[in-house]
PDB file of all heavy atoms in Angstrom:
ATOM      1  N   LEU S  25       0.856  -1.172  -0.005  1.00 77.00           N
ATOM      2  CA  LEU S  25       0.052   0.017   0.002  1.00 77.00           C
ATOM      3  C   LEU S  25       0.857   1.295   0.002  1.00 77.00           C
ATOM      4  O   LEU S  25       0.663   2.203  -0.803  1.00 77.00           O
ATOM      5  CB  LEU S  25      -0.916  -0.017   1.265  1.00 77.00           C
ATOM      6  CG  LEU S  25      -1.786   1.260   1.451  1.00 77.00           C
ATOM      7  CD1 LEU S  25      -2.628   1.527   0.209  1.00 77.00           C
ATOM      8  CD2 LEU S  25      -2.557   1.129   2.683  1.00 77.00           C
ATOM      9  N   ASN S  26       1.870   1.306   0.867  1.00 74.00           N
ATOM     10  CA  ASN S  26       2.770   2.485   0.843  1.00 74.00           C
ATOM     11  C   ASN S  26       3.516   2.630  -0.411  1.00 74.00           C
ATOM     12  O   ASN S  26       3.762   3.749  -0.914  1.00 74.00           O
ATOM     13  CB  ASN S  26       3.760   2.299   2.030  1.00 74.00           C
ATOM     14  CG  ASN S  26       3.180   2.365   3.350  1.00 74.00           C
ATOM     15  OD1 ASN S  26       2.077   3.066   3.545  1.00 74.00           O
ATOM     16  ND2 ASN S  26       3.775   1.830   4.417  1.00 74.00           N
ATOM     17  N   SER S  27       3.882   1.552  -1.098  1.00 85.00           N
ATOM     18  CA  SER S  27       4.491   1.637  -2.417  1.00 85.00           C
ATOM     19  C   SER S  27       3.573   2.301  -3.442  1.00 85.00           C
ATOM     20  O   SER S  27       4.036   3.044  -4.252  1.00 85.00           O
ATOM     21  CB  SER S  27       4.946   0.253  -2.857  1.00 85.00           C
ATOM     22  OG  SER S  27       5.931  -0.275  -1.985  1.00 85.00           O
ATOM     23  N   SER S  28       2.288   1.892  -3.390  1.00 85.00           N
ATOM     24  CA  SER S  28       1.382   2.493  -4.349  1.00 85.00           C
ATOM     25  C   SER S  28       1.230   3.981  -4.121  1.00 85.00           C
ATOM     26  O   SER S  28       1.173   4.811  -5.089  1.00 85.00           O
ATOM     27  CB  SER S  28       0.001   1.819  -4.177  1.00 85.00           C
ATOM     28  OG  SER S  28      -0.009   0.478  -4.683  1.00 85.00           O
ATOM     29  N   LEU S  29       1.217   4.378  -2.845  1.00 85.00           N
ATOM     30  CA  LEU S  29       1.211   5.825  -2.527  1.00 85.00           C
ATOM     31  C   LEU S  29       2.461   6.578  -3.080  1.00 85.00           C
ATOM     32  O   LEU S  29       2.346   7.641  -3.638  1.00 85.00           O
ATOM     33  CB  LEU S  29       0.944   6.023  -1.003  1.00 85.00           C
ATOM     34  CG  LEU S  29      -0.297   5.489  -0.426  1.00 85.00           C
ATOM     35  CD1 LEU S  29      -0.274   5.689   1.081  1.00 85.00           C
ATOM     36  CD2 LEU S  29      -1.509   6.228  -1.002  1.00 85.00           C
ATOM     37  N   LEU S  30       3.568   5.891  -2.898  1.00 86.00           N
ATOM     38  CA  LEU S  30       4.827   6.501  -3.361  1.00 86.00           C
ATOM     39  C   LEU S  30       4.845   6.544  -4.881  1.00 86.00           C
ATOM     40  O   LEU S  30       5.373   7.586  -5.417  1.00 86.00           O
ATOM     41  CB  LEU S  30       5.974   5.538  -2.837  1.00 86.00           C
ATOM     42  CG  LEU S  30       7.444   5.981  -3.264  1.00 86.00           C
ATOM     43  CD1 LEU S  30       7.786   7.345  -2.670  1.00 86.00           C
ATOM     44  CD2 LEU S  30       8.424   4.900  -2.888  1.00 86.00           C
ATOM     45  N   PHE S  31       4.357   5.535  -5.489  1.00 92.00           N
ATOM     46  CA  PHE S  31       4.450   5.534  -6.976  1.00 92.00           C
ATOM     47  C   PHE S  31       3.122   6.132  -7.677  1.00 92.00           C
ATOM     48  O   PHE S  31       2.944   5.956  -8.870  1.00 92.00           O
ATOM     49  CB  PHE S  31       4.563   4.085  -7.435  1.00 92.00           C
ATOM     50  CG  PHE S  31       5.929   3.523  -7.209  1.00 92.00           C
ATOM     51  CD1 PHE S  31       6.147   2.444  -6.381  1.00 92.00           C
ATOM     52  CD2 PHE S  31       7.045   4.046  -7.945  1.00 92.00           C
ATOM     53  CE1 PHE S  31       7.361   1.892  -6.246  1.00 92.00           C
ATOM     54  CE2 PHE S  31       8.336   3.553  -7.729  1.00 92.00           C
ATOM     55  CZ  PHE S  31       8.470   2.450  -6.814  1.00 92.00           C
ATOM     56  N   SER S  32       2.308   6.766  -6.885  1.00 94.00           N
ATOM     57  CA  SER S  32       1.049   7.295  -7.433  1.00 94.00           C
ATOM     58  C   SER S  32       1.248   8.217  -8.674  1.00 94.00           C
ATOM     59  O   SER S  32       0.434   8.096  -9.666  1.00 94.00           O
ATOM     60  CB  SER S  32       0.248   8.017  -6.315  1.00 94.00           C
ATOM     61  OG  SER S  32       0.922   9.030  -5.752  1.00 94.00           O
ATOM     62  N   PRO S  33       2.251   9.052  -8.716  1.00 94.00           N
ATOM     63  CA  PRO S  33       2.402   9.919  -9.917  1.00 94.00           C
ATOM     64  C   PRO S  33       2.719   9.023 -11.133  1.00 94.00           C
ATOM     65  O   PRO S  33       2.164   9.317 -12.274  1.00 94.00           O
ATOM     66  CB  PRO S  33       3.617  10.778  -9.599  1.00 94.00           C
ATOM     67  CG  PRO S  33       3.631  10.870  -8.122  1.00 94.00           C
ATOM     68  CD  PRO S  33       3.249   9.464  -7.630  1.00 94.00           C
ATOM     69  N   LEU S  34       3.404   7.944 -10.976  1.00 95.00           N
ATOM     70  CA  LEU S  34       3.712   7.051 -12.032  1.00 95.00           C
ATOM     71  C   LEU S  34       2.479   6.218 -12.417  1.00 95.00           C
ATOM     72  O   LEU S  34       2.180   6.050 -13.618  1.00 95.00           O
ATOM     73  CB  LEU S  34       4.851   6.099 -11.677  1.00 95.00           C
ATOM     74  CG  LEU S  34       5.341   5.054 -12.749  1.00 95.00           C
ATOM     75  CD1 LEU S  34       5.764   5.767 -13.971  1.00 95.00           C
ATOM     76  CD2 LEU S  34       6.457   4.226 -12.208  1.00 95.00           C
ATOM     77  N   LEU S  35       1.737   5.731 -11.388  1.00 96.00           N
ATOM     78  CA  LEU S  35       0.542   4.995 -11.706  1.00 96.00           C
ATOM     79  C   LEU S  35      -0.487   5.789 -12.475  1.00 96.00           C
ATOM     80  O   LEU S  35      -1.240   5.241 -13.299  1.00 96.00           O
ATOM     81  CB  LEU S  35      -0.111   4.514 -10.372  1.00 96.00           C
ATOM     82  CG  LEU S  35       0.635   3.364  -9.681  1.00 96.00           C
ATOM     83  CD1 LEU S  35       0.080   3.240  -8.247  1.00 96.00           C
ATOM     84  CD2 LEU S  35       0.508   2.056 -10.526  1.00 96.00           C
ATOM     85  N   LEU S  36      -0.540   7.075 -12.274  1.00 96.00           N
ATOM     86  CA  LEU S  36      -1.496   7.939 -12.996  1.00 96.00           C
ATOM     87  C   LEU S  36      -1.056   8.209 -14.402  1.00 96.00           C
ATOM     88  O   LEU S  36      -1.847   8.818 -15.173  1.00 96.00           O
ATOM     89  CB  LEU S  36      -1.701   9.254 -12.192  1.00 96.00           C
ATOM     90  CG  LEU S  36      -2.456   9.115 -10.914  1.00 96.00           C
ATOM     91  CD1 LEU S  36      -2.407  10.466 -10.086  1.00 96.00           C
ATOM     92  CD2 LEU S  36      -3.865   8.652 -11.036  1.00 96.00           C
ATOM     93  N   ARG S  37       0.033   7.688 -14.811  1.00 96.00           N
ATOM     94  CA  ARG S  37       0.479   7.730 -16.219  1.00 96.00           C
ATOM     95  C   ARG S  37       0.025   6.522 -16.980  1.00 96.00           C
ATOM     96  O   ARG S  37       0.266   6.407 -18.175  1.00 96.00           O
ATOM     97  CB  ARG S  37       1.960   7.882 -16.266  1.00 96.00           C
ATOM     98  CG  ARG S  37       2.471   9.192 -15.764  1.00 96.00           C
ATOM     99  CD  ARG S  37       4.001   9.227 -15.665  1.00 96.00           C
ATOM    100  NE  ARG S  37       4.690   8.850 -16.884  1.00 96.00           N
ATOM    101  CZ  ARG S  37       5.974   8.625 -16.973  1.00 96.00           C
ATOM    102  NH1 ARG S  37       6.775   8.704 -15.839  1.00 96.00           N
ATOM    103  NH2 ARG S  37       6.517   8.253 -18.107  1.00 96.00           N
ATOM    104  N   ALA S  38      -0.787   5.673 -16.390  1.00 97.00           N
ATOM    105  CA  ALA S  38      -1.268   4.466 -17.045  1.00 97.00           C
ATOM    106  C   ALA S  38      -2.290   4.991 -18.094  1.00 97.00           C
ATOM    107  O   ALA S  38      -2.790   6.061 -18.060  1.00 97.00           O
ATOM    108  CB  ALA S  38      -1.978   3.546 -16.026  1.00 97.00           C
ATOM    109  N   PRO S  39      -2.572   4.032 -19.096  1.00 95.00           N
ATOM    110  CA  PRO S  39      -3.550   4.408 -20.149  1.00 95.00           C
ATOM    111  C   PRO S  39      -4.901   4.818 -19.503  1.00 95.00           C
ATOM    112  O   PRO S  39      -5.361   4.210 -18.584  1.00 95.00           O
ATOM    113  CB  PRO S  39      -3.634   3.071 -20.940  1.00 95.00           C
ATOM    114  CG  PRO S  39      -2.426   2.360 -20.672  1.00 95.00           C
ATOM    115  CD  PRO S  39      -2.007   2.682 -19.253  1.00 95.00           C
ATOM    116  N   LYS S  40      -5.443   5.960 -20.039  1.00 95.00           N
ATOM    117  CA  LYS S  40      -6.664   6.412 -19.553  1.00 95.00           C
ATOM    118  C   LYS S  40      -7.895   5.554 -20.008  1.00 95.00           C
ATOM    119  O   LYS S  40      -7.825   4.886 -21.042  1.00 95.00           O
ATOM    120  CB  LYS S  40      -6.901   7.827 -20.002  1.00 95.00           C
ATOM    121  CG  LYS S  40      -5.838   8.828 -19.423  1.00 95.00           C
ATOM    122  CD  LYS S  40      -5.887   8.908 -17.872  1.00 95.00           C
ATOM    123  CE  LYS S  40      -4.971   9.927 -17.227  1.00 95.00           C
ATOM    124  NZ  LYS S  40      -3.583   9.499 -17.461  1.00 95.00           N
ATOM    125  N   GLY S  41      -8.927   5.556 -19.207  1.00 94.00           N
ATOM    126  CA  GLY S  41     -10.112   4.825 -19.564  1.00 94.00           C
ATOM    127  C   GLY S  41     -11.062   5.503 -20.499  1.00 94.00           C
ATOM    128  O   GLY S  41     -10.909   6.765 -20.720  1.00 94.00           O
ATOM    129  N   ASP S  42     -12.054   4.782 -20.956  1.00 97.00           N
ATOM    130  CA  ASP S  42     -13.049   5.421 -21.893  1.00 97.00           C
ATOM    131  C   ASP S  42     -14.352   5.691 -21.197  1.00 97.00           C
ATOM    132  O   ASP S  42     -15.347   5.924 -21.834  1.00 97.00           O
ATOM    133  CB  ASP S  42     -13.309   4.395 -23.065  1.00 97.00           C
ATOM    134  CG  ASP S  42     -13.813   3.094 -22.646  1.00 97.00           C
ATOM    135  OD1 ASP S  42     -14.064   2.863 -21.416  1.00 97.00           O
ATOM    136  OD2 ASP S  42     -14.062   2.288 -23.533  1.00 97.00           O
ATOM    137  N   GLY S  43     -14.312   5.684 -19.864  1.00 97.00           N
ATOM    138  CA  GLY S  43     -15.519   5.979 -19.121  1.00 97.00           C
ATOM    139  C   GLY S  43     -16.459   4.817 -18.846  1.00 97.00           C
ATOM    140  O   GLY S  43     -17.531   4.996 -18.263  1.00 97.00           O
ATOM    141  N   HIS S  44     -16.113   3.603 -19.289  1.00 98.00           N
ATOM    142  CA  HIS S  44     -17.130   2.477 -19.088  1.00 98.00           C
ATOM    143  C   HIS S  44     -17.144   2.105 -17.644  1.00 98.00           C
ATOM    144  O   HIS S  44     -16.206   2.363 -16.882  1.00 98.00           O
ATOM    145  CB  HIS S  44     -16.723   1.351 -20.062  1.00 98.00           C
ATOM    146  CG  HIS S  44     -15.653   0.449 -19.595  1.00 98.00           C
ATOM    147  ND1 HIS S  44     -14.312   0.640 -19.968  1.00 98.00           N
ATOM    148  CD2 HIS S  44     -15.563  -0.686 -18.833  1.00 98.00           C
ATOM    149  CE1 HIS S  44     -13.593  -0.312 -19.491  1.00 98.00           C
ATOM    150  NE2 HIS S  44     -14.308  -1.107 -18.697  1.00 98.00           N
ATOM    151  N   PRO S  45     -18.258   1.489 -17.214  1.00 98.00           N
ATOM    152  CA  PRO S  45     -18.415   1.084 -15.880  1.00 98.00           C
ATOM    153  C   PRO S  45     -17.539  -0.090 -15.391  1.00 98.00           C
ATOM    154  O   PRO S  45     -17.414  -1.053 -16.215  1.00 98.00           O
ATOM    155  CB  PRO S  45     -19.895   0.765 -15.769  1.00 98.00           C
ATOM    156  CG  PRO S  45     -20.233   0.287 -17.124  1.00 98.00           C
ATOM    157  CD  PRO S  45     -19.455   1.157 -18.048  1.00 98.00           C
ATOM    158  N   VAL S  46     -17.066  -0.027 -14.216  1.00 98.00           N
ATOM    159  CA  VAL S  46     -16.227  -1.071 -13.626  1.00 98.00           C
ATOM    160  C   VAL S  46     -16.820  -1.449 -12.221  1.00 98.00           C
ATOM    161  O   VAL S  46     -16.901  -0.527 -11.339  1.00 98.00           O
ATOM    162  CB  VAL S  46     -14.757  -0.642 -13.404  1.00 98.00           C
ATOM    163  CG1 VAL S  46     -13.942  -1.761 -12.792  1.00 98.00           C
ATOM    164  CG2 VAL S  46     -14.183  -0.237 -14.818  1.00 98.00           C
ATOM    165  N   LEU S  47     -17.122  -2.620 -12.041  1.00 98.00           N
ATOM    166  CA  LEU S  47     -17.663  -3.153 -10.768  1.00 98.00           C
ATOM    167  C   LEU S  47     -16.519  -3.864 -10.059  1.00 98.00           C
ATOM    168  O   LEU S  47     -15.899  -4.823 -10.565  1.00 98.00           O
ATOM    169  CB  LEU S  47     -18.861  -4.130 -11.012  1.00 98.00           C
ATOM    170  CG  LEU S  47     -19.344  -4.932  -9.783  1.00 98.00           C
ATOM    171  CD1 LEU S  47     -19.926  -3.942  -8.694  1.00 98.00           C
ATOM    172  CD2 LEU S  47     -20.447  -5.913 -10.233  1.00 98.00           C
ATOM    173  N   ALA S  48     -16.317  -3.471  -8.793  1.00 98.00           N
ATOM    174  CA  ALA S  48     -15.191  -4.014  -7.936  1.00 98.00           C
ATOM    175  C   ALA S  48     -15.794  -4.906  -6.810  1.00 98.00           C
ATOM    176  O   ALA S  48     -16.557  -4.395  -5.991  1.00 98.00           O
ATOM    177  CB  ALA S  48     -14.355  -2.931  -7.375  1.00 98.00           C
ATOM    178  N   LEU S  49     -15.534  -6.170  -6.817  1.00 98.00           N
ATOM    179  CA  LEU S  49     -16.053  -7.135  -5.838  1.00 98.00           C
ATOM    180  C   LEU S  49     -15.010  -7.496  -4.837  1.00 98.00           C
ATOM    181  O   LEU S  49     -13.927  -7.945  -5.192  1.00 98.00           O
ATOM    182  CB  LEU S  49     -16.546  -8.394  -6.566  1.00 98.00           C
ATOM    183  CG  LEU S  49     -17.688  -8.078  -7.635  1.00 98.00           C
ATOM    184  CD1 LEU S  49     -17.997  -9.388  -8.287  1.00 98.00           C
ATOM    185  CD2 LEU S  49     -18.909  -7.422  -7.013  1.00 98.00           C
ATOM    186  N   PRO S  50     -15.262  -7.328  -3.499  1.00 97.00           N
ATOM    187  CA  PRO S  50     -14.296  -7.610  -2.485  1.00 97.00           C
ATOM    188  C   PRO S  50     -14.094  -9.129  -2.256  1.00 97.00           C
ATOM    189  O   PRO S  50     -14.938  -9.913  -2.614  1.00 97.00           O
ATOM    190  CB  PRO S  50     -14.896  -6.885  -1.257  1.00 97.00           C
ATOM    191  CG  PRO S  50     -16.343  -7.037  -1.472  1.00 97.00           C
ATOM    192  CD  PRO S  50     -16.584  -6.839  -2.986  1.00 97.00           C
ATOM    193  N   GLY S  51     -12.978  -9.433  -1.482  1.00 95.00           N
ATOM    194  CA  GLY S  51     -12.756 -10.790  -1.164  1.00 95.00           C
ATOM    195  C   GLY S  51     -13.430 -11.382   0.077  1.00 95.00           C
ATOM    196  O   GLY S  51     -14.279 -10.520   0.644  1.00 95.00           O
ATOM    197  N   PHE S  52     -13.239 -12.503   0.452  1.00 94.00           N
ATOM    198  CA  PHE S  52     -13.881 -13.118   1.585  1.00 94.00           C
ATOM    199  C   PHE S  52     -13.485 -12.321   2.899  1.00 94.00           C
ATOM    200  O   PHE S  52     -12.346 -11.994   3.093  1.00 94.00           O
ATOM    201  CB  PHE S  52     -13.397 -14.615   1.712  1.00 94.00           C
ATOM    202  CG  PHE S  52     -14.052 -15.316   2.880  1.00 94.00           C
ATOM    203  CD1 PHE S  52     -15.379 -15.349   3.109  1.00 94.00           C
ATOM    204  CD2 PHE S  52     -13.186 -16.039   3.712  1.00 94.00           C
ATOM    205  CE1 PHE S  52     -15.952 -16.054   4.105  1.00 94.00           C
ATOM    206  CE2 PHE S  52     -13.695 -16.830   4.793  1.00 94.00           C
ATOM    207  CZ  PHE S  52     -15.109 -16.785   4.974  1.00 94.00           C
ATOM    208  N   LEU S  53     -14.497 -12.016   3.640  1.00 93.00           N
ATOM    209  CA  LEU S  53     -14.431 -11.266   4.915  1.00 93.00           C
ATOM    210  C   LEU S  53     -14.213  -9.804   4.725  1.00 93.00           C
ATOM    211  O   LEU S  53     -14.124  -9.089   5.705  1.00 93.00           O
ATOM    212  CB  LEU S  53     -13.382 -11.913   5.821  1.00 93.00           C
ATOM    213  CG  LEU S  53     -13.665 -13.306   6.319  1.00 93.00           C
ATOM    214  CD1 LEU S  53     -12.542 -13.782   7.311  1.00 93.00           C
ATOM    215  CD2 LEU S  53     -15.045 -13.468   6.973  1.00 93.00           C
ATOM    216  N   ALA S  54     -13.995  -9.343   3.447  1.00 94.00           N
ATOM    217  CA  ALA S  54     -13.755  -7.951   3.237  1.00 94.00           C
ATOM    218  C   ALA S  54     -14.988  -7.215   2.812  1.00 94.00           C
ATOM    219  O   ALA S  54     -16.080  -7.817   2.556  1.00 94.00           O
ATOM    220  CB  ALA S  54     -12.676  -7.808   2.118  1.00 94.00           C
TER     221      ALA S  54
END
């Protein structure tokens, strides 16, 4: 998690989306 925060400027350089919907489903007990 801390690495993602550190690399957030780089992560935001990923290909941009086209606005389509994304459903995120959590794991067991989450």
Side-chain angles (χ1 to χ4, degrees):
L25 175 59
N26 289 338
S27 294
S28 290
L29 296 174
L30 178 65
F31 286 115
S32 57
L34 181 58
L35 285 168
L36 290 173
R37 291 169 54 189
K40 296 297 186 289
D42 61 0
H44 80 267
V46 178
L47 172 60
L49 303 176
F52 181 50
L53 298 181

